[in-house]
């Protein structure tokens, strides 16, 4: 919403997150103004936000400036530390990373919580976030006329959608 009112501010949010990116593609979830870092990976929403900002501003330079970093950030989710079993379905590090710490399945120390370890679970919400990111990155690659990038994200999107369907049991 802020992109329609103050586009520079909205772009600045993305640039600030990407400024925390390390060589592996890791982007900190909660960077502080004084250089503090939470040490936890940002949830995969940056490409979607970037695409939404572009749709408001039509600033192709913004896409050019951010696409490679967003691509590396997306790919980072599939490294061994987030996909410990190597099945191309990453796992959250912590329930704090999801932005929703009161989810009953994972809430620890609460009488109403089951206290399951989210880092040991493959969850459909994370796959859905990654699908959204792949769609956004596919769209960005299309605007930038990056055929290799578009093919890569199209393939990732198909794979993620297939995996999400495997999580569904109609019975």
């Amino acid at each position: 919403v802020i992109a329609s009112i103050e586009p520079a501010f909205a772009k600045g949010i993305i640039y600030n997150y990407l400024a925390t990116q390390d060589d592996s593609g890791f982007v900190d979830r909660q960077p502080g103004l004084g250089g503090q870092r939470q040490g936890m990976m940002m949830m995969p929403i940056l490409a979607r936000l970037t695409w939404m900002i572009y749709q408001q501003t039509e600033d192709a330079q913004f896409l050019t400036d951010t696409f490679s970093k967003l691509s590396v950030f997306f790919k980072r989710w599939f490294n061994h530390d987030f996909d410990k079993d190597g099945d191309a379905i990453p796992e959250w590090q912590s329930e704090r990373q999801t932005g929703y710490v009161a989810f009953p399945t994972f809430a620890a120390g609460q009488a109403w919580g089951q206290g399951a370890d989210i880092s040991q679970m493959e969850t459909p919400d994370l796959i859905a976030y990654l699908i959204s990111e792949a769609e956004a990155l596919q769209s960005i690659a299309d605007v930038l006329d990056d055929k290799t990038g578009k093919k890569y994200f199209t393939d990732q999107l198909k794979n993620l959608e297939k995996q999400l369907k495997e999580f569904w049991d109609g019975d």
Side-chain angles (χ1 to χ4, degrees), residues 87-102:
D87 64 352
I89 303 174
E91 300 86 27
W92 294 110
Q93 289 177 296
S94 161
E95 67 276 359
R96 291 179 303 138
Q97 189 177 27
T98 70
Y100 185 64
V101 296

Side-chain angles (χ1 to χ4, degrees), residues 1 3-5 51-59:
V1 173
S4 63
I5 300 166
W51 179 244
M52 292 170 71
I53 292 167
Y54 169 76
Q55 290 177 307
Q56 288 289 319
T57 65
E58 296 183 358
D59 181 355

Side-chain angles (χ1 to χ4, degrees), residues 135-148:
E135 287 175 341
L137 288 161
Q138 179 186 44
S139 297
I140 293 169
D142 193 36
V143 169
L144 297 177
D145 198 30
D146 181 337
K147 291 175 182 36
T148 304

Side-chain angles (χ1 to χ4, degrees), residues 10-23:
K11 291 176 199 174
I13 292 170
I14 301 300
Y15 286 130
N16 284 341
Y17 273 108
L18 293 177
T20 72
Q21 190 171 47
D22 67 16
D23 292 338

Side-chain angles (χ1 to χ4, degrees), residues 3 16 23 25 37 43 67 69 71 90 100-101 105 122 127 149:
N16 284 341
D23 292 338
R37 299 291 184 261
M43 64 191 319
F67 181 64
K69 288 186 173 215
S71 296
Y100 185 64
V101 296
T105 305
E122 293 172 340
I127 296 174

Side-chain angles (χ1 to χ4, degrees), residues 72-143:
V72 173
F73 172 62
F74 176 85
K75 292 172 185 175
R76 178 66 174 85
W77 276 96
F78 299 92
N79 285 10
H80 178 70
D81 55 338
F82 287 100
D83 183 17
K84 292 182 175 107
D85 57 3
D87 64 352
I89 303 174
E91 300 86 27
W92 294 110
Q93 289 177 296
S94 161
E95 67 276 359
R96 291 179 303 138
Q97 189 177 27
T98 70
Y100 185 64
V101 296
F103 195 86
T105 305
F106 307 112
Q110 301 292 333
W112 48 265
Q114 295 173 346
D117 183 357
I118 198 168
S119 71
Q120 301 296 313
M121 306 284 177
E122 293 172 340
T123 59
D125 63 330
L126 182 51
I127 296 174
Y129 281 120
L130 291 166
I131 287 171
S132 180
E133 289 291 274
E135 287 175 341
L137 288 161
Q138 179 186 44
S139 297
I140 293 169
D142 193 36
V143 169

